[in-house]
Every structure is written in C-alpha cells, then in structure tokens.
C-alpha cells in the first residue's frame, strides 16, 4: 500500500497541498498518496482518528483546526507548544507528533526567496490568529529591531504577548499606527479572504521594502493595492510560505528536502 498523507481543513476545496506534495514526491523519487479531507467542525478528532486508523502516516492541518490539532497532539514540538497551534502531524504507533512549520515557512520565503532579512529591520505584523502564533518566535529569532503586532482585538493580542513573554514584541492598535512606518509589513488577518482591507493606515508603508499578504492566489488584494499605491517595491502573497512550510513537513515525514523554487514558480499568480 502506498504511504498515505493528507491535508485537513474546512473549507478545503481551494487547497494546493495535494499538488505541492505530488510535485515534491515526483522530484524526490518518493511514492506517496496525498489527499484532501474536509474536516467536520464538530468532530475534528474523529476525522484524524479515522485517517490514522486507515494507515495514514501524516497530515497537514489548515484553518480552522490548528489550535485543535495542538490539543490533540500527544507529542507536540517546542515550536508547536510555544505557538499553541499545530499545522502538521506525524503518526508513530499510538503517538501523534505535532509540528508548527508556518513561521519557519514564512520566514524562509521572506528572507531566502524574497531577499528581505528581518535582522535590524522594523517589522509590522497584522493579526493575532494561528499563523501569527506560529510566526512570532521565528520572527523574533531573526533579530528585528522592532516587531509590532497590531490587531482589532487587543485582548487577544495581549494573550499572545503574555505567552511569548519577549520585551522585543510590541503591541499596537490600528489607530496608534498612524504616523509610524516600517520596513516590512505582513498581513496575517483574514480580511483579504473576503476582499476587505484591514484598517491599517497608509503611513505604515512610507518606507517599506516589502508588503506581504499571507492569503494566496487572490491577486492584488486591497492590502497590496494600498502598498503599491504607497510605492512599496516588493509585493508578495503567501504562495511562497505555503510551499516552504509544505517542504518542511515533507522533509519531516520523508527525510528528504525537496526543491521549492520550481513549485513556487508553477503556483505563482501575477499580482495584477
């Protein structure tokens, strides 16, 4: 029987993960079968158990299940524990190993693929959901001069601040961002999924070298439109992060690191 892997989320129809892992497997000479599962919002644990019982070896986890995935894990990694969210499982006997590759994938895309190191830079991160949970520690480890987290719900942002407990992490309301500028601005809110603009003032883009949209395949989103109008040189969506975090999971499962460049090129949609 071919080794079984899957991605689980809800909704899941838009996922590129089966294509990505299929391309990885082909390029690395690995024989796997990778499917997509639309998980039940009321029985995520049951869906995982059923896939595991059928011989599944690993899963990627996407919205809205990353926090539940962490709770289900029997052996979460340090990254997953610190983020309190997981985006990948590996099954070994009765054990459910969990990892969080979101932050590593995002950081690698920004620094390696886009050539924008965080060290010594002013970084603004919008949102406080699961992707941000995974990104905070890798971002802080990259040594930015300032890492500012802005979110509508400041109570939720303060929870993250207390869990990370790092004085380099600063919180801000959107209103308090007026007049401030940053080198890198990353939108990790869900606004672009519905064609909306997070309430970020245009001033944050005044000196920005990069505006990064975690949503992918949406073209020039309202967030990226504002950044382009402000003169930001590099605009990017989350396709590179998607591929890079998938590569981390593939290597974790199969012991071989796939090349990501050709897959990113294949999936990239022009930002127009």
């Amino acid at each position: 029987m071919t080794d079984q892997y899957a991605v689980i989320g809800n909704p899941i129809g838009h996922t590129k993960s089966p294509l990505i892992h299929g391309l990885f497997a082909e390029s690395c000479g690995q024989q796997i079968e990778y499917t997509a599962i639309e998980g039940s919002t009321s029985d995520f644990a049951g869906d995982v158990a059923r896939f595991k019982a059928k011989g599944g070896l690993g899963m990627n986890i996407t919205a809205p299940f990353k926090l539940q995935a962490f709770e289900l894990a029997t052996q979460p990694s340090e990254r997953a524990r610190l983020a309190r969210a997981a985006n990948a499982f590996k099954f070994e006997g009765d054990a459910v190993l969990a990892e969080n590759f979101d932050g590593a994938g995002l950081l690698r895309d920004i620094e390696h693929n886009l050539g924008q190191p965080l060290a010594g830079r002013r970084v603004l991160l919008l949102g406080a959901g699961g992707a941000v949970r995974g990104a905070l520690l890798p971002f802080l480890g990259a040594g930015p001069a300032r890492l500012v987290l802005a979110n509508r719900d400041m109570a939720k942002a303060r929870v993250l601040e207390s869990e990370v407990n790092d004085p380099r992490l600063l919180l801000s309301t959107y209103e308090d961002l007026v007049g401030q500028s940053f080198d890198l601005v990353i939108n990790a809110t869900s606004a672009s999924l519905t064609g909306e603009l997070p309430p970020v003032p245009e001033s944050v883009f005044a000196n920005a070298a990069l505006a990064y949209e975690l949503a992918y395949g949406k073209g020039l989103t309202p967030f990226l439109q504002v950044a382009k109008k402000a003169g930001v040189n590099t605009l990017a969506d989350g396709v590179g992060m998607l591929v890079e975090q998938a590569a981390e999971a593939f290597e974790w499962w199969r012991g071989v690191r796939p090349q990501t460049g050709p897959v990113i090129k294949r999936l990239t949609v022009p930002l127009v």
Side-chain angles (χ1 to χ4, degrees):
M1 181 177 176
T2 305
D3 291 348
Q4 303 288 310
Y5 299 90
V7 59
I8 186 169
N10 188 323
I12 200 64
H14 67 285
T15 184
K16 302 295 185 185
S17 293
L19 172 61
I20 292 169
H21 285 277
L23 293 171
F24 286 166
E26 182 181 353
S27 67
C28 295
Q30 298 284 304
Q31 296 297 316
I32 70 170
E33 183 175 339
Y34 189 105
T35 57
I37 299 171
E38 181 150 320
S40 167
T41 54
S42 60
D43 192 24
F44 170 71
D47 289 332
V48 173
R50 284 185 283 274
F51 177 73
K52 184 173 179 290
K54 292 178 182 178
L57 298 180
M59 299 181 86
N60 289 121
I61 301 101
T62 188
F65 299 123
K66 293 179 183 181
L67 302 184
Q68 290 182 59
F70 171 75
E71 297 296 336
L72 191 62
T74 61
Q75 295 182 29
S77 71
E78 184 66 16
R79 285 188 291 200
R81 280 196 295 268
L82 291 171
R84 299 191 62 79
N87 81 333
F89 281 153
K90 180 162 63 174
F91 306 123
E92 295 183 351
D94 293 331
V96 179
L97 285 68
E99 259 290 3
N100 189 308
F101 295 122
D102 281 335
L106 175 57
L107 184 64
R108 179 170 173 82
D109 189 38
I110 291 173
E111 294 201 322
H112 179 76
N113 298 331
L114 299 173
Q116 296 288 344
L118 268 64
R121 314 286 287 283
R122 298 164 298 170
V123 181
L124 174 61
L125 189 54
L126 307 177
V132 171
R133 283 178 169 271
L136 283 177
L137 291 168
F139 272 32
L140 288 167
R146 297 174 63 203
L147 178 57
V148 176
L149 174 65
N151 195 53
R152 290 179 187 266
D153 185 345
M154 290 305 294
K156 190 174 183 180
R158 282 190 286 271
V159 169
L160 281 180
E161 180 187 39
S162 66
E163 291 176 353
V164 173
N165 192 28
D166 190 310
R168 294 172 298 169
L169 176 63
L170 306 174
L171 303 185
S172 176
T173 65
Y174 284 105
E175 292 79 6
D176 288 341
L177 292 174
V178 174
Q180 298 189 55
S181 64
F182 297 85
D183 300 306
L184 293 85
V185 183
I186 298 109
N187 180 26
T189 73
S190 60
S192 294
L193 298 178
T194 54
E196 299 175 4
L197 174 69
V200 58
E202 190 172 331
S203 63
V204 302
F205 300 108
N207 299 297
L210 170 69
Y212 194 105
E213 172 74 78
L214 259 67
Y216 61 90
K218 300 293 184 180
L220 205 60
T221 64
F223 168 80
L224 292 176
Q225 289 177 34
V226 172
K228 182 179 181 180
K229 179 182 176 184
V232 178
N233 290 329
T234 302
L235 307 176
D237 70 4
V239 68
M241 172 189 174
L242 175 70
V243 175
E244 291 294 348
Q245 65 81 28
E248 296 281 343
F250 191 92
E251 183 177 20
W252 187 46
W253 294 331
R254 308 299 296 180
V256 58
R257 175 83 184 190
Q259 294 294 315
T260 56
V263 180
I264 293 173
K265 184 177 181 180
R266 177 164 175 172
L267 293 180
T268 296
V269 175
L271 297 177
V272 296

